[in-house]
């Protein structure tokens, strides 16, 4: 199949098309898929005129890693150079391997860095709690992050168990209408959902 493909950078220079004529899977549910024919076709846009020689040109796009352990692969690149004035003189640069590898899948999704801090430890003071996180994977819109352990009177219990009597954290958050702040609050639509009984803050990645 072939379909137009969105570039994260370089779209002003290239039109992109993703082509994958066969996926090499014996069955759809097996783990023996091999996308050896998958390729990205980049065509220089007419508005771009040409790519200058001796100047670095960078293009970025998103691909999904396998959901199981997968060794890295080495991509190749080939070029068909158009000659608008003399089409018969079009030239081809044959496929050659590129430096580096891609699509290695070996790490479990998670965070490479996590920290939390509070702006105050004064009795009864209003404190700003700051979360800093570095996920090791792309979090698609709609992804849900639950921050637990923020309750101060509820004992640990199974997730579906009803809260015991008098278990509440009604003093937090200081106001349910207060938005999230910080440089990256917009990534979660500047708001979160607070479960007062369990002391859980839920953040949903913005669409």
């Amino acid at each position: 199949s072939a379909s137009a493909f969105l570039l994260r950078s370089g779209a002003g220079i290239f039109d992109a098309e993703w082509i994958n004529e066969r996926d090499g899977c014996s069955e759809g549910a097996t783990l023996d898929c091999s996308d050896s024919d998958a390729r990205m076709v980049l065509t220089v846009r007419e508005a771009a005129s040409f790519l200058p020689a001796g100047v670095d040109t960078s293009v970025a796009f998103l691909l999904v890693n396998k959901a199981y352990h997968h060794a890295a692969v080495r991509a190749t690149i080939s070029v068909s150079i158009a000659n608008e004035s003399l089409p018969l003189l079009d030239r081809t640069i044959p496929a050659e391997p590129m430096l580096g590898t891609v699509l290695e899948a070996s790490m479990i999704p998670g965070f490479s860095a996590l920290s939390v801090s509070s702006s105050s430890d004064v009795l009864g003071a209003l404190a700003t709690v700051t979360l800093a996180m570095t996920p090791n994977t792309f979090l698609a819109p709609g992804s849900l992050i639950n921050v637990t352990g923020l309750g101060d009177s509820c004992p640990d219990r199974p997730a579906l168990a009803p809260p015991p009597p008098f278990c509440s954290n009604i003093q937090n958050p200081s106001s349910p209408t207060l938005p999230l702040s910080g440089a990256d609050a917009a990534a979660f639509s500047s708001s979160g959902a607070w479960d007062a009984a369990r002391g859980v803050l839920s953040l949903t990645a913005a669409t």
Side-chain angles (χ1 to χ4, degrees):
S1 62
S3 58
F5 201 80
L6 178 65
L7 296 176
R8 290 180 65 84
S9 67
I13 302 173
F14 297 103
D15 289 322
E17 185 181 38
W18 177 258
I19 299 177
N20 189 7
E21 296 170 349
R22 63 182 187 279
D23 60 16
C25 299
S26 58
E27 294 181 9
T30 62
L31 300 181
D32 63 351
C33 299
S34 176
D35 299 327
S36 59
D37 72 309
R39 56 197 183 275
M40 175 76 70
V41 178
L42 302 174
T43 305
V44 178
R45 298 171 60 100
E46 292 185 4
S49 299
F50 63 92
L51 290 184
V55 177
D56 289 341
T57 300
S58 177
V59 176
F61 50 90
L62 294 176
L63 292 179
V64 179
N65 285 341
K66 301 291 188 185
Y68 51 89
H69 191 279
H70 188 269
V73 298
R74 186 177 297 276
T76 60
I77 187 171
S78 61
V79 182
S80 296
I81 304 175
N83 189 323
E84 293 184 353
S85 57
L86 295 172
L88 293 178
L89 296 182
D90 288 357
R91 293 179 296 143
T92 298
I93 299 177
E96 57 182 85
M98 304 177 72
L99 182 64
T101 57
V102 295
L103 296 179
E104 177 181 3
S106 58
M107 302 229 2
I108 296 174
F111 295 90
S112 57
L114 278 173
S115 66
V116 62
S117 62
S118 178
S119 65
S120 175
D121 58 3
V122 176
L123 295 176
L126 184 65
T128 298
V129 176
T130 300
L131 307 174
M133 62 193 88
T134 306
N136 65 6
T137 184
F138 177 76
L139 298 183
S143 298
L144 181 65
I145 295 177
N146 288 320
V147 183
T148 61
L150 300 177
D152 44 25
S153 62
C154 299
D156 292 336
R157 60 190 183 282
L160 299 179
F166 310 112
C167 175
S168 64
N169 199 30
I170 58 175
Q171 72 272 34
N172 281 313
S174 57
S175 170
T177 62
L178 286 178
L180 294 179
S181 59
D184 300 306
F188 304 100
S189 301
S190 297
S191 65
W194 177 255
D195 184 334
R198 301 179 186 278
V200 176
L201 177 66
S202 298
L203 307 174
T204 302
T207 56

